[in-house]
Amino acid sequence: MIDIQQVTKRYKNVAAVDEVSLTIRQGEVFGIIGYSGAGKSTLLRCLNLLERPTEGKVLIDGKDLTALSDNEVRKERQKIGMIFQHFHLISSKTVFDNVAFSLKAAGKTKEEIKKKVPKLLEMVGLSDRSGHYPAQLSGGQKQRVGIARALANDPKVLLCDEATSALDPTTTKSILQLLKKINETLGITIVLITHEMEVVQDICHRVAVMEDGKVVELGDIYDIFANPKTDLSKQFVQTVHSLELPERLLEGRKGPIVQVVFQGDSAEEAVISETLKQFNVNANILHGQISYIQDRALGTLIIELIGSRRDVQKAIDYITKQTSRLEVLADVA
């Protein structure tokens, strides 16, 4: 669907995007995450040529946008909707007219606009706000207008540049649910830029982690959460799944402290209970949680294992075989 080939974007001697290559599949929600200055927003703007790459190619449905003239690019942009962090609504126009603006720009007739806008407003849950002005709307409602406007010309791709960063957590959830519904019902490919791993967890199928203009890790969202490879990915995962123990909990322990990661079916099985039945050890649970990512369970448990060193080692070996990963955080002789 979207094929990014060795894309670089330089500003003077600084590479904001540095030789990035990605393939984004038809109909998926693809996340690009990174801290400020990572190059993620610049990369997103290269996808619809709001920023022309210094080097490399951007292909959408096999068409190389970087080879097109400015007039041809403007036509292609009608197939690519974009949602912004700060909404970019026209304050002097009503909700209806803000959505109609995209249709007018595409040369649609008044009759076509009259039929299309109410359908779009219904889709985003704003049928009763058609005659309101942006100043009369909440932040979430403004973003829904932005989404309706982005969908006006039936795009194949929807680009979201920090679309929820200006919203409170509850409103963010509702906007993400709306985007998920749009993806599932319309089959639109969504590319979502964010610095919040919780946003990625809620909606994305795959994610690219960016740092200093480069993609440092790429993978299925579940795999990234279950087994992040880079330090940066681990930092992002920990913002959602923080299992750091207070120092006082590590004091005076009688046995090794282990962190166990359960994936899929193992997260829903009684692995620890079975361990205690089979081996002469006791377990002291210090911390734990279970999440569901793409409807798949991912659990983490931190426990102290108490018993003879021989029995504890047998228990550790057993748990390791039954689960995805076991790490000894602290060993007590």
Side-chain angles (χ1 to χ4, degrees):
M1 175 58 180
I2 302 174
D3 193 11
I4 304 165
Q5 299 179 0
Q6 294 291 302
V7 165
T8 295
K9 178 62 181 181
R10 293 192 186 91
Y11 299 99
K12 294 184 178 179
N13 295 324
V14 178
V17 177
D18 192 0
E19 294 186 350
V20 169
S21 294
L22 292 170
T23 298
I24 298 171
R25 302 163 189 154
Q26 170 68 42
E28 76 173 334
V29 182
F30 188 91
I32 302 175
I33 192 168
Y35 292 122
S36 296
K40 58 189 185 297
S41 290
T42 302
L43 177 61
L44 188 79
R45 292 168 68 87
C46 285
L47 299 189
N48 61 0
L49 265 63
L50 287 177
E51 297 280 359
R52 273 195 175 267
T54 307
E55 298 170 9
K57 297 179 179 180
V58 176
L59 286 78
I60 296 182
D61 272 351
K63 183 176 288 187
D64 182 3
L65 300 191
T66 56
L68 303 180
S69 68
D70 288 345
N71 285 336
E72 290 171 325
V73 167
R74 278 191 284 271
K75 290 180 182 178
E76 289 300 316
R77 282 200 192 114
Q78 293 180 14
K79 304 173 187 177
I80 307 171
M82 190 160 187
I83 307 168
F84 302 91
Q85 177 180 356
H86 297 296
F87 321 128
H88 295 326
L89 303 182
I90 303 169
S91 60
S92 61
K93 292 184 179 293
T94 64
V95 166
F96 184 100
D97 289 335
N98 266 280
V99 177
F101 183 81
S102 292
L103 293 164
K104 289 178 182 177
K108 302 298 183 183
T109 66
K110 288 183 178 181
E111 190 61 32
E112 288 174 314
I113 292 171
K114 188 177 179 180
K115 288 181 179 179
K116 188 69 176 284
V117 173
K119 293 179 181 178
L120 291 165
L121 293 180
E122 182 180 2
M123 181 184 297
V124 300
L126 290 179
S127 294
D128 59 342
R129 295 292 189 271
S130 180
H132 286 59
Y133 289 87
Q136 298 172 293
L137 305 177
S138 67
Q141 289 170 337
K142 290 176 184 177
Q143 194 56 285
R144 286 172 183 269
V145 177
I147 293 170
R149 181 184 56 192
L151 295 174
N153 289 304
D154 302 314
K156 296 180 179 180
V157 177
L158 191 59
L159 307 180
C160 304
D161 191 3
E162 300 277 9
T164 60
S165 294
L167 305 175
D168 63 74
T170 300
T171 306
T172 291
K173 287 281 186 183
S174 70
I175 293 298
L176 292 177
Q177 286 302 310
L178 175 58
L179 290 174
K180 188 174 182 179
K181 177 184 174 183
I182 288 167
N183 169 256
E184 291 173 349
T185 58
L186 302 181
I188 293 176
T189 303
I190 297 178
V191 184
L192 188 148
I193 299 295
T194 186
H195 63 272
E196 300 172 288
M197 199 63 173
E198 193 167 2
V199 169
V200 170
Q201 174 183 278
D202 283 351
I203 191 174
C204 295
H205 300 117
R206 290 191 301 142
V207 64
V209 182
M210 287 192 71
E211 184 177 31
D212 296 331
K214 292 181 177 292
V215 172
V216 297
E217 189 161 356
L218 169 68
D220 178 271
I221 187 61
Y222 186 91
D223 294 336
I224 294 289
F225 270 91
N227 190 26
K229 298 290 194 303
T230 65
D231 289 341
L232 181 60
S233 297
K234 290 174 184 177
Q235 288 177 28
F236 277 121
V237 169
Q238 286 171 3
T239 63
V240 180
H241 297 272
S242 178
L243 289 174
E244 291 186 9
L245 292 178
E247 284 295 325
R248 65 178 182 80
L249 286 181
L250 300 177
E251 297 174 0
R253 290 297 159 194
K254 299 178 181 179
I257 297 171
V258 299
Q259 177 174 293
V260 187
V261 176
F262 303 85
Q263 288 181 238
D265 293 340
S266 69
E268 299 170 358
E269 295 174 356
V271 175
I272 301 302
S273 296
E274 190 61 32
T275 301
L276 301 183
K277 288 180 183 178
Q278 291 195 34
F279 305 98
N280 188 28
V281 295
N282 291 319
N284 184 16
I285 297 175
L286 303 178
H287 201 350
Q289 66 180 20
I290 186 167
S291 301
Y292 287 87
I293 302 170
Q294 296 177 343
D295 294 326
R296 296 168 63 193
L298 176 63
T300 306
L301 191 65
I302 297 178
I303 58 176
E304 176 188 19
L305 292 172
I306 302 170
S308 70
R309 179 162 290 277
R310 182 170 177 271
D311 288 335
V312 166
Q313 188 57 54
K314 286 182 178 180
I316 287 175
D317 291 343
Y318 176 79
I319 295 171
T320 301
K321 289 179 181 178
Q322 300 301 315
T323 63
S324 303
R325 189 170 74 250
L326 182 147
E327 178 183 357
V328 177
L329 301 181
D331 197 1
V332 177

